[in-house]
C-alpha cells in the first residue's frame, strides 16, 4: 500500500482535472492523476501540427467507411483526418441512448482541452441567481462575488483575449489585447445597437495568447498565429490546454505522478472508517485491477463519466452510488441548445477584406429573462455572429486560361452567420443511469443516457430565430435564412449536471465548495457539478471553481478536517 498512497488523487486530466493537479501540486500535495487514455506530451504527440492540407490523402476529410463506422463522433465539426486520433471512436467506449444523444469524448492526457473551442466568458450575477429566483432548479450555493477572484486568478494564468466592455450581463475580466472585428462585423454591430440599444455585440473572449506575458513565456507558451489548426494541438502553446500549461506546471513541482491508461472503476468507501479512502482502477491495456489511496479525491472525468464513476461506486453504505442518499445522482442533466442558426448576405464593401483566421466570433450576452421572468419560456440564449467572404474558386463559366484564373482568385460577396447557445433547464427526467446487463471491456456497466429537448427549448429556439432575423434585417442583411439543425443533445459538448451543487443535501449532492455532502473528502468540479447551465460557455467556470475547491480542500487538510 505504501507505493499506492498519495495526498490527493485527481480523476481526469482535462480542463478541470489539469487545474486540480496544478493547484494541489503547487500547494505541496503529492498528487496522482489518473487518465483513462494514452499519454500525450505537448508538441511531441501532435503528429499533424505542421502538416499542410495537400499531404492529407483526402485533404483533411475522412474516408466514407470511417464515417459510417462512427455516426456519432463524425457529427463533431473537428472530427477530421488531422485530429481523429484525439477522439473516441464509437465502438471504443459504447453507451446506450434511450433518446438520441451524441456523446463526444477525447480519451488522452489533456482530454478535450486539446479540442475545445476555447471561448471563455465569466458568468454574471444573474446566472447564479436565476435558478433560486425563478425556481427552475435548486439555488446555487455560491454567487458571482464568491467566484470573481478565482475567475481573475484563472484568467491571468491561462491568458484570455478580450475587451473591457462594461456589461453587467457579461462581467469584464483580466484580459490580453482583443481580437478585432472586420469592417462588416462593425457595421452590423453598430446598426443592431442603433435599432436595439440594449443589445451590444462585443468581440468574443477566448483563451488565446494575443500578447504573452512573462509567466506565459516562462511556461514555453507563445503568441497565437491565427492558423485555425487548434484541434491538431498547438505547437506554440498559444491556446490554453492542460498539456501546454497546467500539467507542466504541476510536474515542475516534483509532486505529480501521472498514470495514463487508467480506467477508474469506482471510488473506495471504507464502511469502518466512514469515508472514501481511494480509487479502484482497471488498467486499460492489461485489464488488471489496482487500488490507490489518498486523503482527498477530485473527480474530474468529464460530466457524464463522473456520473458513471460515482454511480458505480457502490458500497454497503451507498448501494445506489456514492453519496446518493437522496436518489438524485445522475439526474437533472442539462446542456446547451445549439440548434438555431441564421445565414444572410449583405451588399457592398467589396473593397474590404480581413487577414488571418481569428479564433473567436462576435457575441451578444443573453437579453431574455435576465432580471425577471418576461417570456413564455424560462431563461434565454447567448448569440454569436461572424461576417466573411467566401466563394473562392467558384467561377466556373470562364474559358480556361488567364480569365479563369483571375475570376477564381477573387473573393465573393459578404455573408453573415449567426448562431445560438441556449440555456436548457435541468429536469429530473433528463438523467443518466447504469445498465448492469451490459458491460464495456473493462467490466464497467454501460451508461444509459435519457436526455432530450422539451417545449421550453422549442420556444427559446423559435425566439432566437425570430429575433436573430429581425436583428440581421435591421443591419441591412438580405436573403436571411433560418435553420434548425435538429441535432441531438450532446453535440454541443456542454453537458452538465447529475452531481449538482446546492444548499440542501435533500436536493443536491455537493455543497458550496464542491464537496459531496455525504463524503466531504470527495470533490467534483467538472461539468457534473453544475446546478444550471447559464447561457455562457462553461469552461472558465469549471476552472475557477476547481481552483477555489482545491484552496478549500488544502485548508481543510491542514485543519485536520479530513
Amino acid at each position: 500500500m505504501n507505493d499506492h498512497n498519495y495526498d490527493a488523487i485527481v480523476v481526469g486530466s482535462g480542463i478541470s482535472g489539469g487545474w486540480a493537479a496544478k493547484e494541489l501540486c503547487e500547494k505541496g500535495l503529492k498528487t496522482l492523476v489518473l487518465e483513462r487514455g494514452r499519454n500525450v506530451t505537448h508538441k511531441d504527440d501532435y503528429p499533424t501540427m505542421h502538416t499542410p492540407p495537400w499531404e492529407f490523402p483526402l485533404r483533411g476529410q475522412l474516408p466514407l467507411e470511417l464515417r459510417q463506422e462512427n455516426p456519432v463522433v463524425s457529427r463533431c465539426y473537428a472530427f477530421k483526418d488531422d485530429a481523429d486520433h484525439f477522439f473516441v471512436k464509437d465502438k471504443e467506449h459504447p453507451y446506450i441512448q434511450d433518446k438520441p444523444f451524441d456523446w463526444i469524448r477525447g480519451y488522452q492526457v489533456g482530454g478535450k482541452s486539446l479540442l475545445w473551442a476555447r471561448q471563455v466568458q465569466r458568468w454574471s450575477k444573474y446566472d447564479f441567481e436565476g435558478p433560486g429566483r425563478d425556481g427552475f432548479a435548486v439555488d446555487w450555493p455560491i454567487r458571482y462575488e464568491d467566484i470573481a477572484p478565482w475567475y481573475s486568478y484563472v484568467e491571468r494564468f491561462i491568458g484570455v483575449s478580450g475587451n473591457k466592455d462594461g456589461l453587467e450581463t457579461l462581467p469584464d475580466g483580466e484580459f490580453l489585447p482583443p481580437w478585432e472585428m472586420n469592417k462588416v462585423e462593425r457595421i452590423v454591430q453598430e446598426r443592431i445597437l442603433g435599432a436595439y440599444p440594449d443589445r451590444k455585440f462585443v468581440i468574443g473572449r477566448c483563451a488565446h495568447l494575443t500578447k504573452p506575458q512573462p509567466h506565459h513565456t516562462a511556461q514555453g507558451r507563445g503568441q497565437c498565429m491565427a492558423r485555425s489548426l487548434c484541434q491538431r494541438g498547438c505547437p506554440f502553446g498559444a491556446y490554453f490546454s492542460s498539456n501546454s500549461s497546467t500539467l507542466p506546471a504541476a510536474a515542475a513541482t516534483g509532486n505529480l505522478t501521472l498514470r495514463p491508461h487508467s480506467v477508474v472503476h469506482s471510488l473506495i468507501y471504507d464502511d469502518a472508517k466512514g469515508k472514501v479512502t481511494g480509487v479502484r482502477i482497471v488498467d486499460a491495456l492489461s485489464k488488471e485491477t489496482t487500488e490507490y489511496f489518498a486523503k482527498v479525491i477530485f473527480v474530474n472525468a468529464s460530466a457524464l463519466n463522473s456520473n458513471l464513476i460515482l454511480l458505480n461506486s457502490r458500497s454497503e453504505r451507498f448501494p445506489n452510488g456514492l453519496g446518493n442518499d437522496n436518489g438524485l445522482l445522475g439526474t437533472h442533466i442539462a446542456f446547451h441548445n445549439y440548434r438555431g442558426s441564421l445565414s444572410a448576405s449583405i451588399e457592398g464593401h467589396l473593397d474590404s477584406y480581413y487577414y488571418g483566421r481569428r479564433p473567436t466570433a462576435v457575441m451578444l450576452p443573453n437579453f431574455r429573462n435576465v432580471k425577471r421572468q418576461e417570456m413564455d419560456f424560462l431563461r434565454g440564449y447567448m448569440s454569436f455572429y461572424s461576417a466573411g467572404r467566401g466563394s473562392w474558386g467558384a467561377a466556373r463559366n470562364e474559358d480556361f486560361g488567364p480569365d479563369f484564373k483571375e475570376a477564381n482568385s477573387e473573393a465573393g460577396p459578404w455573408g453573415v452567420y449567426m448562431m445560438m447557445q441556449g440555456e436548457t433547464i435541468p429536469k429530473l427526467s433528463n438523467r443518466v443511469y447504469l445498465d448492469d446487463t451490459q458491460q464495456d471491456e473493462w467490466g464497467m456497466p454501460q451508461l444509459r443516457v435519457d436526455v432530450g429537448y422539451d417545449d421550453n427549448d422549442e420556444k427559446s429556439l423559435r425566439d432566437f430565430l425570430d429575433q436573430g432575423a429581425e436583428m440581421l434585417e435591421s443591419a441591412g442583411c438580405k436573403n436571411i435564412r433560418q435553420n434548425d439543425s435538429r441535432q441531438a443533445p450532446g453535440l454541443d459538448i456542454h453537458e452538465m449536471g447529475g452531481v449538482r451543487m446546492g444548499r440542501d443535501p435533500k436536493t443536491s449532492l455537493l455543497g458550496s465548495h464542491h464537496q459531496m455532502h455525504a463524503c466531504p473528502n470527495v470533490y467534483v468540479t467538472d461539468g457534473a457539478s453544475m446546478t444550471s447551465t447559464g447561457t455562457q460557455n462553461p469552461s472558465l467556470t469549471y476552472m475557477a471553481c476547481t481552483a477555489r475547491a482545491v484552496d478549500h480542500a488544502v485548508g481543510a487538510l491542514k485543519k485536520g478536517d479530513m
Side-chain angles (χ1 to χ4, degrees):
M1 265 185 66
N2 289 335
D3 293 335
H4 289 182
N5 277 337
Y6 295 86
D7 296 321
I9 295 174
V10 179
V11 179
S13 63
I15 281 176
S16 62
W19 262 95
K22 169 189 175 296
E23 294 297 298
L24 289 164
C25 288
E26 289 183 343
K27 293 180 185 298
L29 275 65
K30 296 295 183 181
T31 302
L32 171 67
V33 173
L34 298 169
E35 167 56 52
R36 69 175 295 153
R38 64 188 175 91
N39 191 28
V40 170
T41 301
H42 179 53
K43 296 186 183 180
D44 293 344
D45 296 314
Y46 304 158
T48 64
M49 61 184 177
H50 292 309
T51 307
W54 53 86
E55 289 188 9
F56 291 99
L58 298 179
R59 303 298 187 264
Q61 299 306 308
L62 292 168
L64 177 61
E65 182 181 4
L66 183 61
R67 284 189 279 121
Q68 290 175 333
E69 291 174 353
N70 295 277
V72 172
V73 70
S74 289
R75 298 185 186 109
C76 179
Y77 69 95
F79 185 69
K80 296 180 181 177
D81 196 23
D82 62 352
D84 66 304
H85 47 279
F86 288 144
F87 286 89
V88 174
K89 310 305 186 294
D90 291 4
K91 292 180 180 179
E92 291 175 348
H93 183 196
Y95 66 103
I96 302 165
Q97 303 177 55
D98 289 356
K99 295 188 181 81
F101 188 93
D102 294 335
W103 191 9
I104 308 299
R105 293 156 289 173
Y107 293 163
Q108 60 264 326
V109 168
K112 293 196 296 292
S113 78
L114 289 169
L115 298 165
W116 67 311
R118 307 164 306 283
Q119 305 306 296
V120 282
Q121 310 101 25
R122 292 188 181 201
W123 284 27
S124 76
K125 65 180 182 179
Y126 302 111
D127 296 291
F128 290 102
E129 294 169 0
R133 183 195 69 202
D134 296 340
F136 65 85
V138 300
D139 190 16
W140 276 89
I142 60 174
R143 290 293 186 261
Y144 175 75
E145 292 73 20
D146 297 309
I147 199 71
W150 297 100
Y151 276 141
S152 294
Y153 178 72
V154 166
E155 287 163 342
R156 284 191 292 267
F157 185 82
I158 68 174
V160 174
S161 160
N163 196 48
K164 299 276 189 180
D165 298 301
L167 300 179
E168 192 177 32
T169 50
L170 196 69
D172 291 331
E174 312 293 330
F175 294 144
L176 302 174
W179 296 90
E180 295 182 357
M181 298 184 200
N182 61 45
K183 179 179 179 179
V184 169
E185 288 169 342
R186 289 195 301 271
I187 290 170
V188 171
Q189 175 203 39
E190 292 164 2
R191 290 175 178 174
I192 292 177
L193 186 61
Y196 302 89
D198 63 333
R199 302 183 191 180
K200 184 178 180 182
F201 279 92
V202 300
I203 192 63
R205 300 165 182 179
C206 56
H208 283 254
L209 299 182
T210 51
K211 185 178 180 180
Q213 300 302 295
H215 66 277
H216 298 132
T217 54
Q219 296 175 45
R221 300 180 62 198
Q223 183 174 337
C224 179
M225 297 290 122
R227 303 190 313 157
S228 192
L229 302 176
C230 308
Q231 73 277 2
R232 300 182 181 189
C234 180
F236 311 103
Y239 74 78
F240 169 79
S241 70
S242 296
N243 309 68
S244 67
S245 187
T246 47
L247 290 177
T253 67
N255 292 324
L256 174 68
T257 300
L258 177 62
R259 192 187 195 283
H261 300 299
S262 302
V263 179
V264 173
H265 176 275
S266 54
L267 273 59
I268 303 166
Y269 186 84
D270 189 315
D271 288 297
K273 293 182 178 180
K275 61 187 291 187
V276 171
T277 56
V279 175
R280 182 176 296 109
I281 71 139
V282 178
D283 188 282
L285 304 178
S286 70
K287 308 299 191 296
E288 293 179 354
T289 299
T290 309
E291 295 179 348
Y292 296 94
F293 303 91
K295 300 170 187 173
V296 61
I297 315 292
F298 271 72
V299 181
N300 299 89
S302 80
L304 297 195
N305 267 324
S306 289
N307 276 276
L308 171 59
I309 291 166
L310 294 173
L311 285 164
N312 201 45
S313 299
R314 296 156 169 166
S315 62
E316 184 176 335
R317 167 68 180 85
F318 296 111
N320 299 313
L322 187 67
N324 195 20
D325 288 335
N326 55 24
L328 295 177
L329 180 61
T331 68
H332 296 89
I333 303 293
F335 52 95
H336 275 146
N337 184 354
Y338 272 25
R339 282 169 49 186
S341 66
L342 301 106
S343 59
S345 60
I346 188 166
E347 296 176 351
H349 317 292
L350 299 181
D351 58 342
S352 297
Y353 200 67
Y354 44 91
Y355 298 92
R357 298 182 178 94
R358 189 188 64 202
T360 192
V362 186
M363 61 185 187
L364 172 67
N366 178 40
F367 57 88
R368 290 303 200 205
N369 303 319
V370 174
K371 299 180 180 180
R372 66 189 66 85
Q373 180 62 39
E374 300 166 318
M375 308 299 294
D376 64 346
F377 57 88
L378 289 164
R379 306 307 291 159
Y381 45 84
M382 197 170 192
S383 306
F384 299 84
Y385 81 83
S386 59
R389 298 179 67 182
S391 301
W392 294 96
R396 289 168 171 70
N397 295 322
E398 300 286 345
D399 290 337
F400 192 73
D403 291 342
F404 180 85
K405 178 180 177 181
E406 194 66 29
N408 281 285
S409 298
E410 294 292 330
W414 284 89
V416 179
Y417 175 80
M418 183 179 286
M419 60 170 283
M420 74 178 296
Q421 182 170 278
E423 182 167 358
T424 65
I425 306 306
K427 301 187 296 293
L428 183 66
S429 59
N430 272 356
R431 63 177 186 138
V432 295
Y433 60 105
L434 303 183
D435 188 317
D436 289 317
T437 66
Q438 300 188 61
Q439 295 185 339
D440 62 25
E441 64 176 288
W442 303 281
M444 297 278 288
Q446 288 191 27
L447 192 69
R448 298 191 74 105
V449 184
D450 187 7
V451 175
Y453 296 104
D454 63 12
D455 186 57
N456 196 78
D457 302 322
E458 300 295 338
K459 290 179 178 178
S460 175
L461 166 66
R462 176 46 53 191
D463 189 74
F464 163 76
L465 292 174
D466 291 343
Q467 291 299 307
E470 286 184 18
M471 287 189 284
L472 291 177
E473 186 174 13
S474 73
C477 294
K478 308 291 185 183
N479 305 312
I480 299 169
R481 295 173 294 279
Q482 299 177 332
N483 179 58
D484 175 3
S485 69
R486 302 191 182 278
Q487 66 189 52
L491 197 55
D492 51 287
I493 324 181
H494 286 181
E495 58 267 19
M496 300 176 231
V499 197
R500 69 180 180 183
M501 299 174 71
R503 300 181 184 274
D504 187 348
K506 294 180 181 178
T507 57
S508 61
L509 280 298
L510 308 174
S512 61
H513 287 91
H514 293 255
Q515 288 174 288
M516 295 202 81
H517 292 306
C519 306
N521 68 327
V522 176
Y523 291 75
V524 183
T525 64
D526 62 10
S529 68
M530 300 292 276
T531 304
S532 61
T533 72
T535 56
Q536 286 92 320
N537 294 65
S539 297
L540 184 68
T541 300
Y542 300 164
M543 292 186 268
C545 285
T546 300
R548 178 176 178 268
V550 170
D551 187 68
H552 180 270
V554 173
L557 283 170
K558 289 179 178 178
K559 293 176 184 177
D561 292 343
M562 291 188 184

